[in-house]
Amino acid sequence: MISAIYRWLDERLHLDDLIAPFRHKTVPVHRLTYWYFFGGITLFLFGVQVITGILLLLYYNAGANEAFESVQYIMTKVRYGWLIRSIHSWSANLMILTAFLHMFSVLFLKAYRKPREMTWISGMLLLFLVMGFGFSGYLLPWNTLAFFATKVGTAMVGQVPIVGQPMMVFLRGGPQVTGATLIRFFGFHVAVLPGLVGILIAVHLFMVQRLGMSVPPKIEAEWVENPSAKREMKFFPNFMLREMMAWYVAIGVLGALAAIFPWDLGVKADPFGSAPAGIKPEWYFLFMFQTLKLIPSKVWFVDGEVLGILGCGLAGLLWLLLPFFESEQPSRPKKWITGLGIFALMYVMGMSVYGFLAK
Amino acid sequence: MAFLRNNFRLLRAARTAGLAGCFVLGACLSYGQTTNSCLDCHSAMPDPLGVTQEKFSQDIHSQKGLTCTSCHGGDASSYDPTVSMGTKAGFKGKIDRKQVPQLCASCHSNPTYMKQYNPSLRTDQLDQYHTSMHGKRQAAGDTKAAVCVDCHSVHDIRPPSDPRSTVNPVNIATTCSRCHSDAAYMKPYGIPTDQFANYKTSVHYQAMMVRGDLSAPTCTTCHGNHGATPPGVDKVQNVCANCHVFQAQMYGKSSHFKAFQSLGLPGCVVCHSNHGIHQPSDAMLGTGPQGVCMRCHQPGDKCDLARVKIQSGLMKLDSSITNADQTLSVAEASGMDVSEARLAQTQARDELIKARVTIHTYQEALVDQDVQAGLKIAAKDEQAGKDAMVERNQRRIGLGICFLAIAIMLAGLWLFIRKIEH
């Protein structure tokens, strides 16, 4: 039956020509192959986000007076609403986690080297956009924590010299975080960011498809020495089936988190109330938040916060351009980049833990 | 000639401007440095004659432009004691305690004068003082009776809104206790001296000092300030009614009101005491040490039976609310959203508070109405918590089924991969 439908479609659309590259595509098999799965898992979780996000849109009302109540309605009255919202929230966090893991795995496996510089850049831009998804989506339930986190987050943007203030007003829809900010963030979250991410995912996947999977330099050298050790598997169906297994595991983890730890709604935001004591951002912004906290209020004659924000921005820009610092000789990769990667990983993890434990 | 005349005019104008400038400069330099010979000497003297510039500058009168001579007379511009403290300058010296109320009233009882400083300030303090126990004793020649400066201090009098003022709400009880807790000082009057100690154990003190509620009652709230006097046995409920309106209304229509009046008992105080009013509890309806009903009623009488029913009703509602809270907490800890039931719990609590207020009618049926309304809400909330727990269990069963399905899929995929790779 399925093959009959496929034949019918193939006669008209020549699907075989489209699928042919996938049939010929291979994935290198070595001791680090499992790191290749994280990109696919991130993509799968993005798919979960799109589906659950569309379902949430059926009941969500953007607006300072309705947002909280509509999410509360989803959590308590809508059939399986709690499951959809909890999966959406947990999946968002897992997606950011797997995106970070994917980024660091690409870094340590040296997969960003020529000719994959643009794949790295598109991936990094996707990581930034995914964090933007997290920041904009966090405000949508309009609860106290989200309100004040947005207030702090957008105020940090306002610290950027020259363009900071206009950017902050643009993000907030005015000088303060209000219902206008919520509507704006809703727009970013469901229209602007999905559009940009969709385009970038297409570009990223196209380049992955075009350039194939990178083999780490060490393993490549081993294979040059001993060509018989070189092994590959077909992308379709062998790698794809394994990827599907990872997706099933991801579904299991998401289901368990949603059922055992449904995502909390908190208390409705009160713009006239005071910020809760010890307020912190979501875990993926914690390392930046803690860094800013540790910088003195004045460094020489420069405002500490401005310095911290500019420093974070510069670090992000350099990270984006990292492939261009790498040697073009595959046999002589620059070791300091690996060292920097280890330092960055340790720094992000250490600062996140410190930020989590700090009062 | 015209040229000279014109230049001469210019020189004259320059000279006039120069003189005016010197005058303004001199005035500016001397501003704030007016002579006050009183402070110059008295700041170097030991107590009780010592008054420093620092101390007097804190005084509201000093801040409003009044000086030592406003009360004491004399001439502060002269350093010659015979002039500055001379009779010609109207020097009064130390004000006699008997004269203090009249002296203060010379301004404070003058509405026209006081209006320029604070239009909303009352000007009946002296009249009020004459009606007070302090005022009456002072008029009778008792020099120990409190006068203005005993409560408001002297030379550093701050407005009552200033937290450092001796008459700020948080300091009033301490100010009163300086005399009223001094057993030796109060001995001639034969009144208790444990008021402040009792007040410190009261719910009113807790509200004022622990919760920082400045509207909570302190001594002057019940006794009055300038007209301070005991409220009188038959007027106690009027004092309490200022805040506890519903309780007073209910009590006023109750059988206890008439009974207490005929027996000459002081209303609210009979059950709640006066200075040491503790947080009321349902135990007040019991027969234990906190119980108050059985001080007058006999075991087994009609009122005792009603008391038992009222107390058991209140305790039942209290425990129902606690049980519902616990069930909802367990559900919340499991991640279930029970915010609606939580909100309804506040209504159940309101009913409990209402029932506790209704006790002042001493009618079992009326209290029971409130209790039943609260019980109904608490039962519904507890059921909501139980339903949430049932749903939580269903979710976990569903998760188990999903895990099983995922495990089967994973096994199937793994077998399929092995098949195609071999």
Side-chain angles (χ1 to χ4, degrees), chain A residues 69-86:
Chain A
E69 284 75 9
S70 69
V71 178
Q72 197 171 40
Y73 185 77
I74 289 168
M75 289 296 283
T76 54
K77 301 278 186 240
V78 178
R79 185 168 292 214
Y80 296 112
W82 64 272
L83 183 66
I84 301 299
R85 187 199 167 227
S86 296

Side-chain angles (χ1 to χ4, degrees), chain B residues 56-356:
Chain B
F56 189 55
S57 66
Q58 302 288 316
D59 194 297
I60 182 71
H61 301 100
S62 163
Q63 288 163 10
K64 296 290 180 189
L66 275 74
T67 64
C68 312
T69 56
S70 307
C71 296
H72 295 281
D75 181 0
S77 63
S78 171
Y79 282 95
D80 179 355
T82 58
V83 177
S84 60
M85 296 192 287
T87 47
K88 267 190 183 174
F91 181 66
K92 297 175 194 163
K94 185 177 187 297
I95 310 298
D96 187 69
R97 278 181 69 80
K98 285 180 200 164
Q99 305 302 322
V100 169
Q102 283 298 339
L103 177 71
C104 297
S106 63
C107 294
H108 281 272
S109 292
N110 183 344
T112 314
Y113 179 78
M114 291 308 294
K115 221 173 259 182
Q116 61 184 320
Y117 297 108
N118 184 354
S120 64
L121 200 68
R122 291 175 64 159
T123 50
D124 62 346
Q125 294 95 334
L126 184 65
D127 292 339
Q128 289 268 342
Y129 178 70
H130 288 321
T131 67
S132 76
M133 198 55 78
H134 297 139
K136 284 175 186 168
R137 288 207 170 272
Q138 199 256 1
D142 182 354
T143 53
K144 284 170 72 180
V147 293
C148 313
V149 293
D150 293 313
C151 301
H152 290 276
S153 85
V154 66
H155 300 135
D156 59 348
I157 300 171
R158 295 182 171 93
S161 57
D162 187 328
R164 295 167 299 173
S165 165
T166 49
V167 291
N168 181 269
V170 294
N171 299 324
I172 283 176
T174 311
T175 301
C176 298
S177 74
R178 285 208 307 260
C179 298
H180 283 272
S181 293
D182 186 337
Y185 194 83
M186 298 305 293
K187 198 176 176 185
Y189 306 106
I191 59 173
T193 52
D194 58 356
Q195 301 94 330
F196 186 50
N198 286 335
Y199 175 67
K200 278 169 94 171
T201 67
S202 76
V203 68
H204 293 147
Y205 178 84
Q206 287 286 316
M208 171 81 77
M209 301 307 288
V210 180
R211 296 212 315 263
D213 180 358
L214 297 184
S215 67
T218 181
C219 312
T220 53
T221 318
C222 302
H223 294 278
N225 42 26
H226 301 102
T229 187
V233 168
D234 56 340
K235 301 292 184 297
V236 167
Q237 71 270 17
N238 296 342
V239 173
C240 302
N242 277 321
C243 301
H244 302 279
V245 181
F246 294 119
Q247 288 91 332
Q249 282 176 358
M250 288 171 182
Y251 169 74
K253 291 175 189 167
S254 75
S255 52
H256 278 85
F257 175 66
K258 288 166 199 156
F260 285 4
Q261 270 206 327
S262 62
L263 291 167
L265 292 170
C268 314
V269 172
V270 176
C271 301
H272 294 280
S273 124
N274 46 15
H275 302 105
I277 298 169
H278 295 159
Q279 177 75 42
S281 72
D282 298 338
M284 287 174 76
L285 292 165
T287 51
Q290 292 179 55
V292 291
C293 305
M294 302 315 284
R295 289 182 200 160
C296 303
H297 293 283
Q298 294 301 313
D301 71 10
K302 189 182 149 197
C303 299
D304 182 36
L305 296 175
R307 171 196 69 78
V308 171
K309 284 182 184 168
I310 289 174
Q311 191 195 20
S312 68
L314 290 175
M315 287 169 80
K316 193 176 168 191
L317 176 54
D318 195 24
S319 98
S320 293
I321 290 170
T322 309
N323 289 342
D325 270 339
Q326 281 171 354
T327 310
L328 292 172
S329 295
V330 173
E332 261 177 352
S334 304
M336 305 303 294
D337 190 314
V338 286
S339 48
E340 271 188 36
R342 278 279 190 218
L343 190 66
Q345 278 291 87
T346 56
Q347 288 174 358
R349 278 194 192 86
D350 287 348
E351 289 297 337
L352 180 59
I353 293 168
K354 208 171 141 196
R356 283 170 174 160

Side-chain angles (χ1 to χ4, degrees), chain A residues 68-275:
Chain A
F68 182 84
E69 284 75 9
S70 69
V71 178
Q72 197 171 40
Y73 185 77
I74 289 168
M75 289 296 283
T76 54
K77 301 278 186 240
V78 178
R79 185 168 292 214
Y80 296 112
W82 64 272
L83 183 66
I84 301 299
R85 187 199 167 227
S86 296
I87 286 183
H88 191 76
S89 302
W90 276 116
S91 174
N93 281 270
L94 287 184
M95 181 173 72
I96 293 172
L97 180 69
T98 54
F100 265 104
L101 288 173
H102 182 50
M103 184 269 284
F104 276 111
S105 70
V106 167
L107 179 79
F108 292 125
L109 298 181
K110 301 265 176 193
Y112 55 83
R113 290 166 302 144
K114 185 185 174 185
R116 295 183 179 81
E117 297 95 329
M118 284 192 292
T119 319
W120 168 268
I121 290 173
S122 61
M124 278 304 296
L125 292 177
L126 276 169
L127 180 65
F128 294 147
L129 288 175
V130 160
M131 288 171 86
F133 258 122
F135 186 61
S136 56
Y138 193 56
L139 179 68
L140 301 190
W142 198 244
N143 59 31
T144 305
L145 282 177
F147 177 83
F148 286 104
T150 306
K151 211 170 174 181
V152 174
T154 48
M156 282 181 180
V157 175
Q159 294 290 322
V160 177
I162 305 165
V163 293
Q165 278 297 321
M167 271 173 70
M168 188 190 78
V169 171
F170 169 72
L171 283 174
R172 288 182 173 180
Q176 296 296 330
V177 174
T178 59
T181 319
L182 180 62
I183 302 283
R184 229 158 243 230
F185 273 43
F186 178 64
F188 296 146
H189 194 75
V190 302
V192 179
L193 290 173
L196 290 173
V197 167
I199 294 166
L200 274 171
I201 286 177
V203 171
H204 196 70
L205 291 180
F206 168 75
M207 284 190 281
V208 171
Q209 180 60 35
R210 189 78 184 155
L211 301 169
M213 301 288 207
S214 160
V215 180
K218 262 192 185 176
I219 290 167
E220 211 165 20
E222 285 169 20
W223 285 356
V224 170
E225 256 182 46
N226 179 16
S228 63
K230 186 178 178 181
R231 286 168 58 209
E232 286 176 334
M233 74 166 102
K234 281 187 171 179
F235 176 79
F236 191 84
N238 303 49
F239 185 81
M240 197 60 210
L241 286 172
R242 284 179 170 82
E243 184 76 55
M244 275 176 72
M245 286 178 76
W247 293 358
Y248 270 110
V249 172
I251 290 178
V253 170
L254 278 178
L257 288 170
I260 300 169
F261 306 108
W263 202 262
D264 187 31
L265 179 56
V267 179
K268 188 176 178 176
D270 175 10
F272 300 108
S274 54

